[in-house]
């Protein structure tokens, strides 16, 4: 369901709060994000009756915040107080383009001014907000045109992010930036222990939900559904997982006997989607799932319980094996390493504004440390699948090539490398259908040489 459709549906049912209240919540989300808080964490604090509308507006605002910030700088050369600036930028993001506007422009402006009047932190400057937005309505075409040359306004990403993509992906950087402005599709992973993909697709069709097969076990829905409306979700018949993420388990274990009791480590496992996929495909495997955050380990337990699967779950730092490793060498390791999440910015539009230019390099050091710590735990002939949901090469190809130079007992098996949204993968060494729409991802399959 599109964002404005969700808000409209509430209004039709007589449930929608006043728009000015939703704008207050949206501005608070922008202000919190600028102070370093994730949108997910901020939305958790929003009252339940406001949350759907605030989330829809916040996603739209964060996807247009580059343009809005440039416009605000033209309207007010001196930065207003944080709460006022957040409200003003939110309003501008929502009304600068008629085709993108979720409400009539005059309604947005009137309600933004009302939001300023109704809140203590902005009340004193409600006149300033009104004056800026009225001027914007009068001079909108000229003001927008004045910001067109600004890359941050044009692409709605920080300038450094645009430049990084231009350097890393000279043929695809525009595609990456454009796709980041569109909502991501909902993709399911069918648990083929219960149903074939075709059989589950028929169940969806019977409910009036169209879908298409993607990958070996995936179905991409034409419209998103609440999980409690998915047939058999509570019984583990299906999971929500992007098509790119669904490659991890089959890539790691390709050509390995599905009935053997392999010893597998899922090194950064929360929330447990890939852990569950491994056990669906290799039910006899002994899987150790780690996550450094104990509360996130509970998510792994919940997901495995829903799927009817078992793994050993530990709250531990994968980079400190002495604290958790039993000394027995492993057959396979899945390392979904911490990263900038630059490949999933469609799903998390705040990521582009939360990240800093130095983050990628710092995270690359963490990724290299994890590879160094985990490699000795692998048997000769064993495999380690390194992956990140990043499209930055510092967290993909560059990290892996540096590792290979330092470890002569490691060899790179055929691997997808960087998966670019909107581009067909060059090669995938697993059985698959066309992947459809997918997130940005990186995969490198490393094998330890025997002898």
């Amino acid at each position: 369901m599109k964002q404005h459709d969700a808000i409209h549906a509430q209004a039709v049912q007589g449930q929608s709060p006043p728009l000015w209240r939703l704008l207050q919540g949206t501005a608070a989300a922008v202000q919190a994000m600028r102070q370093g808080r994730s949108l997910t964490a901020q939305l958790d604090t929003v009252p339940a009756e406001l949350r759907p509308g605030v989330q829809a507006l916040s996603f739209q605002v964060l996807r247009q915040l580059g343009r809005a910030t440039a416009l605000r700088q033209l309207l007010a050369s001196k930065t207003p107080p944080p709460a006022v600036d957040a409200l003003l930028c939110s309003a501008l993001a929502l009304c600068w383009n008629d085709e993108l506007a979720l409400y009539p422009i005059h309604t947005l402006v009137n309600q933004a001014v009302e939001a300023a009047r109704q809140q203590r932190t902005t009340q004193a400057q409600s006149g300033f907000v009104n004056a800026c937005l009225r001027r914007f309505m009068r001079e909108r075409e000229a003001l927008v045109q004045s910001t067109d040359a600004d890359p941050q306004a044009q692409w709605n990403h920080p300038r450094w992010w645009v430049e990084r993509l231009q350097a890393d992906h000279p043929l695809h950087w525009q595609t990456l930036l454009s796709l980041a402005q569109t909502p991501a599709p909902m993709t399911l992973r069918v648990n083929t222990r219960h149903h074939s993909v075709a059989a589950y697709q028929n169940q969806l069709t019977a409910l009036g939900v169209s879908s298409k097969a993607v990958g070996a076990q995936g179905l991409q829905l034409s419209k998103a559904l609440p999980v409690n409306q998915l047939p058999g979700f509570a019984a583990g018949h299906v999971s929500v997982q992007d098509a790119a993420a669904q490659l991890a388990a089959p890539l790691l274990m390709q050509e390995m006997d599905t009935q053997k009791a392999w010893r597998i480590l899922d090194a950064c496992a929360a929330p447990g989607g890939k852990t569950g996929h491994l056990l669906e495909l290799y039910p006899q495997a002994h899987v150790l799932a780690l996550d450094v955050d104990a509360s996130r380990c509970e998510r792994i337990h919940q997901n495995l319980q829903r799927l009817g699967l078992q793994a050993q779950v530990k709250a531990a730092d994968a980079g400190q094996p002495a604290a958790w490793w039993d000394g027995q060498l492993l057959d396979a390791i899945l390392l979904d390493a911490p990263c900038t999440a630059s490949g999933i910015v469609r799903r998390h539009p705040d990521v582009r504004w939360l990240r800093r230019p130095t983050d990628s390099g710092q995270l690359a050091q963490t990724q290299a440390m994890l590879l160094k710590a985990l490699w000795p735990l692998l048997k000769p002939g064993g495999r380690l699948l390194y992956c990140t949901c990043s499209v930055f090469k510092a967290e993909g190809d560059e990290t892996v090539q540096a590792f290979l130079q330092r470890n002569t007992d490691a060899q790179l098996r055929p691997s997808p490398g960087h998966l670019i949204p909107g581009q067909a993968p060059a090669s995938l060494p697993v059985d698959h259908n066309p992947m459809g729409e997918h997130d940005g991802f990186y995969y490198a399959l490393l094998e330890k040489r025997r002898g």
Side-chain angles (χ1 to χ4, degrees):
M1 183 179 289
K2 292 182 179 179
Q3 294 165 355
H4 59 276
D5 291 342
I7 299 173
H8 178 68
Q10 281 188 318
V12 168
Q13 297 164 15
Q15 298 174 353
S16 184
L19 179 55
W20 62 264
R21 289 193 65 198
L22 300 181
L23 289 170
Q24 286 179 338
T26 301
V30 171
Q31 185 178 352
M33 184 275 299
R34 284 174 164 172
Q35 294 168 347
R37 185 170 189 163
S38 75
L39 178 59
T40 300
Q42 178 63 20
L43 288 173
D44 285 343
T45 69
V46 176
E49 71 275 12
L50 299 178
R51 195 172 301 143
V54 170
Q55 177 173 320
L57 291 176
S58 296
F59 270 59
Q60 178 73 354
V61 167
L62 292 173
R63 289 189 176 118
Q64 304 298 326
L65 190 58
R67 178 74 70 169
T69 302
L71 288 168
R72 198 279 299 152
Q73 290 170 347
L74 292 177
L75 292 165
S77 56
K78 183 179 178 181
T79 304
V84 176
D85 192 32
L87 178 59
L88 191 51
C89 285
S90 295
L92 291 167
L94 292 168
C95 69
W96 80 270
N97 185 317
D98 283 316
E99 293 182 5
L100 300 174
L102 305 182
Y103 295 89
I105 304 302
H106 69 275
T107 299
L108 283 165
V109 168
N110 290 339
Q111 291 293 292
V113 174
E114 184 65 19
R117 289 173 178 156
Q118 294 284 347
Q119 188 158 289
R120 179 181 55 81
T121 54
T122 54
Q123 192 175 55
Q125 291 197 278
S126 60
F128 167 76
V129 171
N130 182 59
C132 287
L133 293 177
R134 300 296 173 188
R135 179 191 165 196
F136 174 72
M137 290 181 70
R138 293 192 305 271
E139 305 175 24
R140 182 167 58 148
E141 185 176 346
L143 288 167
V144 169
Q145 189 173 4
S146 296
T147 62
D148 282 342
D150 180 350
Q152 183 164 302
Q154 181 183 2
W155 296 106
N156 285 293
H157 284 71
R159 183 186 295 265
W160 70 265
W161 189 299
V162 176
E163 293 171 350
R164 184 80 52 86
L165 291 182
Q166 288 173 331
D168 284 357
H169 303 287
L171 298 179
H172 304 306
W173 66 274
Q174 291 176 310
T175 298
L176 285 165
L177 292 168
S178 296
L179 281 175
Q181 298 301 92
T182 62
M186 184 175 187
T187 305
L188 309 179
R189 185 188 78 237
V190 177
N191 186 343
T192 51
R193 298 190 308 146
H194 293 282
H195 299 283
S196 68
V197 173
Y200 194 84
Q201 188 173 32
N202 289 337
Q203 291 189 35
L204 292 174
T205 301
L207 294 175
V209 179
S210 61
S211 62
K212 67 176 181 180
V214 293
Q217 292 174 253
L219 287 171
Q220 185 175 297
L221 306 187
S222 59
K223 62 177 181 180
L225 286 179
V227 292
N228 59 11
Q229 294 181 23
L230 295 171
F233 180 81
H237 295 183
V238 70
S239 299
V240 179
Q241 188 178 42
D242 181 74
Q246 290 185 36
L247 292 174
L251 275 171
L252 176 63
M253 305 300 290
Q254 60 184 299
E255 302 169 3
M256 295 179 75
D257 187 345
T258 59
Q259 298 307 311
K260 289 192 67 173
W262 303 108
R263 288 174 50 79
I264 306 172
L265 169 67
D266 189 351
C268 302
K274 298 180 183 68
T275 309
H277 197 188
L278 281 167
L279 287 165
E280 287 174 11
L281 297 177
Y282 295 86
Q284 305 304 318
H286 300 292
V287 176
L288 170 60
L290 298 182
D291 198 88
V292 71
D293 186 333
S295 63
R296 285 169 58 82
C297 285
E298 184 57 33
R299 290 282 308 281
I300 303 174
H301 282 296
Q302 292 170 357
N303 276 317
L304 292 177
Q305 184 177 17
R306 182 181 63 82
L307 293 168
L309 300 169
Q310 289 188 331
Q312 184 182 9
V313 180
K314 285 187 177 182
D317 184 348
Q320 302 292 330
W324 51 264
W325 184 46
D326 63 7
Q328 297 186 57
L329 293 176
L330 299 160
D331 297 294
I333 298 173
L334 173 58
L335 174 56
D336 187 357
C339 69
T340 55
S342 57
I344 57 173
V345 71
R346 284 200 298 177
R347 301 182 190 277
H348 301 280
D350 53 329
V351 165
R352 69 190 83 176
W353 307 114
L354 288 169
R355 293 301 182 196
R356 298 293 177 262
T358 55
D359 287 350
S360 191
Q362 292 171 353
L363 284 160
Q365 293 178 12
T366 299
Q367 294 152 8
M369 178 273 293
L370 287 167
L371 281 167
K372 180 180 179 180
L374 296 174
W375 188 248
L377 281 54
L378 197 61
K379 287 181 179 177
R383 292 116 170 242
L384 185 152
L385 181 65
Y386 170 82
C387 56
T388 65
C389 55
S390 176
V391 292
F392 295 148
K393 288 196 172 180
E395 302 169 68
D397 281 340
E398 292 176 12
T399 294
V400 169
Q401 291 304 319
F403 176 80
L404 290 170
Q405 290 177 10
R406 292 191 297 267
N407 295 271
T408 57
D409 61 343
Q411 58 182 338
L412 181 64
R413 290 175 59 98
S415 303
H418 282 284
L419 296 176
I420 305 300
Q423 301 295 319
S427 64
L428 285 174
V430 292
D431 293 335
H432 70 289
N433 300 317
M435 287 180 61
E437 293 186 58
H438 59 82
D439 292 338
F441 235 84
Y442 177 81
Y443 283 110
L445 182 61
L446 304 166
E447 184 172 278
K448 181 173 283 190
R449 301 180 194 273
R450 299 181 186 273

